[in-house]
Amino acid sequence: MEPVPEDLGGGLWSVPVPIPGNPLAYTLVYAVESPQGPVLIDAGWQHEDAWAALRDGLATFGIDVADVRGVVVTHFHPDHAGLAGRVREASGAWIAMHRADTEIVQLFHNGLGEAERSSFELTSMRRAGAAESELAAWTDQPRADPPALPDRALDDGELVDLPGRRLRVIWTPGHSPGHICLHLEDGDRMFTGDHVLPRITPHIGLYPYDTPDVDPLSDFLGSLDKISAMSTGEVLPAHQYRFTGLSERAREIIGHHEERLAEVTALLSSRPVTLWDITAGLTWRHPWEEMPLSARRMAAGEAAAHLRTLENRGAVRREGADDPLRYTLTR
């Protein structure tokens, strides 16, 4: 059944905003009522169909986009931040995002052009151990425009500018460095963005594959542990459907990644193995042989994130400083 806009009670509404051509299908955008105008949690993908769905969905509840007070973006990815700039143009609303993701958006606006990014990605895959025969299939990938620069940078624990309500920021890095969940304390509801979803887990990747001094998977596991300690009634994710049992679901996701870490470890021995070969040996939703190169690149990012956690736990080490990236067990 196709999702429809819903009045969730307590001055809270949800609007499914489509993501054209994406298996996730839609982003659930939430509107929280306040005496000075509603605040949106996420905004959806930058596309005319998405804009029409957001505008018309809000109108179902008598909300005009022009009356929106602000947009809180759970993280910078285009299915969450894409329409925030258009909402601001229509209403004068502020855009708020955690400062770690704000810095990434600033880099996008000052960063590499399309040709440079494509060349960078090819170089990364070569360093991972991909064969030239595989890389011959690479074509420039379509990319969403960078999201609008936020007006406000959020920090862990602060209250969002939402008069008459208490919407608290909970920093949950992992899926992105500045991912946040939001606790509506006056309604005992938790907006989890992509951090905790009812049936799937978000992509946790390391890019470039050997970036020093970062460990996104350990950050994610720590964030799950943090959120699992919080008691809340209803959980409102950005995809799929609302659910209860936040702590239990967070622990399930931690267990999934511990199993994945064990799977990565089982592919290693005293003989160094390339990142690409490790990635090819893991279990994926689709067989490795059938995955397009763009999907293999993302899979390698996920494998690299798991290897970084294993490195920091002392179970794995990288061999040498030359290409390609190779890993071995420490014992």
Side-chain angles (χ1 to χ4, degrees), residues 29-58:
V29 173
Y30 299 97
V32 187
E33 184 180 39
S34 89
Q36 296 183 26
V39 166
L40 303 186
I41 297 175
D42 290 328
W45 190 273
Q46 172 70 286
H47 189 278
E48 284 302 319
D49 291 347
W51 174 251
L54 178 62
R55 180 197 62 214
D56 297 347
L58 292 173

Side-chain angles (χ1 to χ4, degrees), residues 73-119:
V73 180
T74 60
H75 58 296
F76 73 87
H77 294 168
D79 54 324
H80 298 258
L83 282 174
R86 190 158 180 181
V87 172
R88 181 169 62 189
E89 290 173 3
S91 64
W94 46 257
I95 300 172
M97 190 182 296
H98 188 274
R99 65 178 64 255
D101 274 13
T102 297
E103 292 171 1
I104 292 173
V105 173
Q106 289 170 339
L107 288 174
F108 282 150
H109 281 267
N110 300 319
L112 298 174
E114 290 298 311
E116 291 85 356
R117 286 182 67 179
S118 183
S119 175

Side-chain angles (χ1 to χ4, degrees), residues 166-180:
R166 292 183 62 82
L167 184 64
R168 191 172 301 278
V169 174
I170 304 166
W171 183 36
T172 50
H175 182 51
S176 80
H179 189 289
I180 57 173

Side-chain angles (χ1 to χ4, degrees), residues 3-251:
V4 295
E6 290 186 73
D7 185 338
L8 306 181
L12 178 64
W13 304 273
S14 72
V15 177
V17 176
I19 314 171
N22 189 299
L24 282 173
Y26 56 87
T27 300
L28 289 170
V29 173
Y30 299 97
V32 187
E33 184 180 39
S34 89
Q36 296 183 26
V39 166
L40 303 186
I41 297 175
D42 290 328
W45 190 273
Q46 172 70 286
H47 189 278
E48 284 302 319
D49 291 347
W51 174 251
L54 178 62
R55 180 197 62 214
D56 297 347
L58 292 173
T60 301
F61 312 115
I63 300 172
D64 191 316
V65 171
D67 296 329
V68 171
R69 174 181 174 80
V71 182
V72 184
V73 180
T74 60
H75 58 296
F76 73 87
H77 294 168
D79 54 324
H80 298 258
L83 282 174
R86 190 158 180 181
V87 172
R88 181 169 62 189
E89 290 173 3
S91 64
W94 46 257
I95 300 172
M97 190 182 296
H98 188 274
R99 65 178 64 255
D101 274 13
T102 297
E103 292 171 1
I104 292 173
V105 173
Q106 289 170 339
L107 288 174
F108 282 150
H109 281 267
N110 300 319
L112 298 174
E114 290 298 311
E116 291 85 356
R117 286 182 67 179
S118 183
S119 175
F120 170 80
E121 288 162 353
L122 274 171
T123 299
S124 294
M125 288 185 284
R126 284 192 184 94
R127 294 202 63 226
E132 289 299 324
S133 58
E134 290 178 274
L135 299 180
W138 183 254
T139 57
D140 288 347
Q141 302 299 301
R143 306 180 197 278
D145 291 334
L149 285 165
D151 307 289
R152 305 180 180 187
L154 299 171
D155 289 306
D156 187 35
E158 75 172 273
L159 289 171
V160 173
D161 178 11
L162 185 61
R165 312 297 296 266
R166 292 183 62 82
L167 184 64
R168 191 172 301 278
V169 174
I170 304 166
W171 183 36
T172 50
H175 182 51
S176 80
H179 189 289
I180 57 173
C181 295
L182 295 150
H183 186 200
L184 186 61
E185 296 177 346
D186 58 274
D188 194 27
R189 283 160 153 163
M190 184 74 75
F191 303 93
T192 56
D194 282 359
H195 185 58
V196 181
L197 302 170
R199 288 191 296 106
I200 59 175
T201 61
H203 175 69
I204 309 297
L206 179 62
Y207 304 97
Y209 303 138
D210 59 343
T211 305
D213 304 323
V214 294
D215 186 349
L217 179 58
S218 289
D219 290 343
F220 181 59
L221 296 175
S223 297
L224 286 168
D225 193 56
K226 173 183 178 180
I227 209 88
S228 73
M230 301 185 67
S231 60
T232 188
E234 191 173 34
V235 183
L236 297 92
H239 304 288
Q240 299 187 317
Y241 51 85
R242 304 186 304 279
F243 64 99
T244 58
L246 176 61
S247 180
E248 293 82 358
R249 180 57 184 148
R251 303 311 299 180

Side-chain angles (χ1 to χ4, degrees), residues 278-302:
I278 294 166
T279 308
L282 292 169
T283 303
W284 302 101
R285 182 177 304 172
H286 302 289
W288 179 256
E289 295 75 17
E290 298 175 9
M291 291 169 62
L293 189 55
S294 57
R296 293 185 183 188
R297 184 185 74 84
M298 289 188 66
E302 183 172 322

